[in-house]
Amino acid sequence: MKVFILGATGPTGQWVVKEALTRCHEVVAFVRNPEKLSIKDNKFKGVKGDVTDPSHLSREMKGCDAVVSALGNPSGTFIPSSIYATSGEAIVRSMKEVGLKRLVVCSAWGTQDDKHLPFVWRWIWTPTFLRHIMPDMRKLEDILEREKNNITFTSVRPGILTDDPSTGLPLLTEERQVVIDRPTDKISRHDVAKFMLDCLDTKKYDNKMIAICSSKDPSVK
């Protein structure tokens, strides 16, 4: 499979690239700064472009089988966010132009309010340093829902991201804003990357928004 990856230089995107290559996929990494890419692999290609420009995207998407987006934006109370919605519009437009159907994106728990969200997430983070990011992610998911007759999407909603190694255990998943019956709010970025790529090999999560978390705290050895 040839996978078009966005956000490849970010902390989660780097894991998506590594895991895709481990699975022997061909990878096209679409980034602002290819100089940040140090991967040497004959199945890997880094290309420079603007994720909000459909002409850049469609040019490099040709010949790919799926798009995986691990794009992110710095969080902050006073930092505006529009990258999720703006890139979402451009990505979908480009996919339609080149006839590409499969898209997996990374969003987060709580793109809409849910009483089962962790207290700190719901009442402290969302009104403060997530207050611009969550509405932007919600707009992205609205775009995906609107376009579900033209593309097949999965929005992966992880909980609190960590830099721990993969637990190697099955993840907990629910088609809602948050995993309710959970032993931890955390999940390693590596496990998120693995799940996003797993979505390409099954129809189970087609046109769904899936909350995920670890089945054990990834920071506990």
Side-chain angles (χ1 to χ4, degrees):
M1 184 181 295
K2 190 172 183 179
V3 186
F4 188 83
I5 298 176
L6 300 112
T9 59
T12 302
Q14 291 179 53
W15 276 115
V16 176
V17 171
K18 290 175 186 177
E19 186 65 26
L21 292 172
T22 297
R23 299 181 186 202
C24 296
H25 295 319
E26 290 183 65
V27 170
V28 177
F30 188 88
V31 296
R32 285 180 298 177
N33 300 305
E35 306 79 34
K36 292 184 177 181
L37 298 168
S38 58
I39 295 172
K40 306 297 181 184
D41 191 296
N42 59 12
K43 289 183 176 291
F44 177 82
K45 175 185 177 184
V47 295
K48 182 176 182 177
D50 179 355
V51 296
T52 66
D53 188 329
S55 65
H56 286 195
L57 290 163
S58 57
R59 181 176 65 241
E60 302 297 343
M61 274 183 190
K62 290 177 181 176
C64 292
D65 301 299
V67 177
V68 176
S69 176
L71 287 169
N73 201 43
S75 60
T77 305
F78 304 108
I79 302 175
S81 178
S82 61
I83 189 64
Y84 295 99
T86 306
S87 66
E89 291 282 10
I91 292 165
V92 171
R93 178 177 168 185
S94 301
M95 290 177 66
K96 289 159 66 175
E97 182 177 330
V98 302
L100 188 53
K101 295 293 186 183
R102 193 68 175 98
L103 171 63
V104 179
V105 304
C106 186
S107 61
W109 285 359
T111 55
Q112 297 187 55
D113 188 38
D114 189 300
K115 66 180 181 180
H116 298 288
L117 286 165
F119 178 89
V120 68
W121 191 304
R122 189 181 186 197
W123 299 112
I124 299 176
W125 295 346
T126 297
T128 55
F129 68 85
L130 294 179
R131 71 188 185 100
H132 296 295
I133 288 180
M134 302 319 294
D136 192 18
M137 286 184 174
R138 183 162 60 249
K139 289 177 184 177
L140 167 61
E141 292 185 336
D142 288 344
I143 292 166
L144 301 180
E145 184 66 26
R146 183 193 75 204
E147 296 288 345
K148 66 183 179 182
N149 291 327
N150 299 309
I151 64 167
T152 301
F153 74 85
T154 306
S155 181
V156 177
R157 295 168 165 168
I160 299 171
L161 297 169
T162 78
D163 294 319
D164 297 292
S166 168
T167 64
L169 299 173
L171 301 181
L172 303 181
T173 66
E174 285 195 50
E175 190 181 356
R176 58 178 306 140
Q177 289 292 328
V178 61
V179 178
I180 297 176
D181 187 12
R182 59 187 186 273
T184 178
D185 297 334
K186 299 176 182 178
I187 184 169
S188 75
R189 296 178 188 277
H190 189 184
D191 278 333
V192 174
K194 290 167 71 173
F195 183 80
M196 292 178 77
L197 291 167
D198 287 346
C199 289
L200 301 180
D201 297 324
T202 178
K203 295 184 179 297
K204 181 178 180 180
Y205 305 113
D206 284 6
N207 291 333
K208 293 182 179 179
M209 302 178 191
I210 305 295
I212 62 173
C213 70
S214 292
S215 53
K216 67 177 286 290
D217 189 329
S219 63
V220 176
K221 308 306 179 186

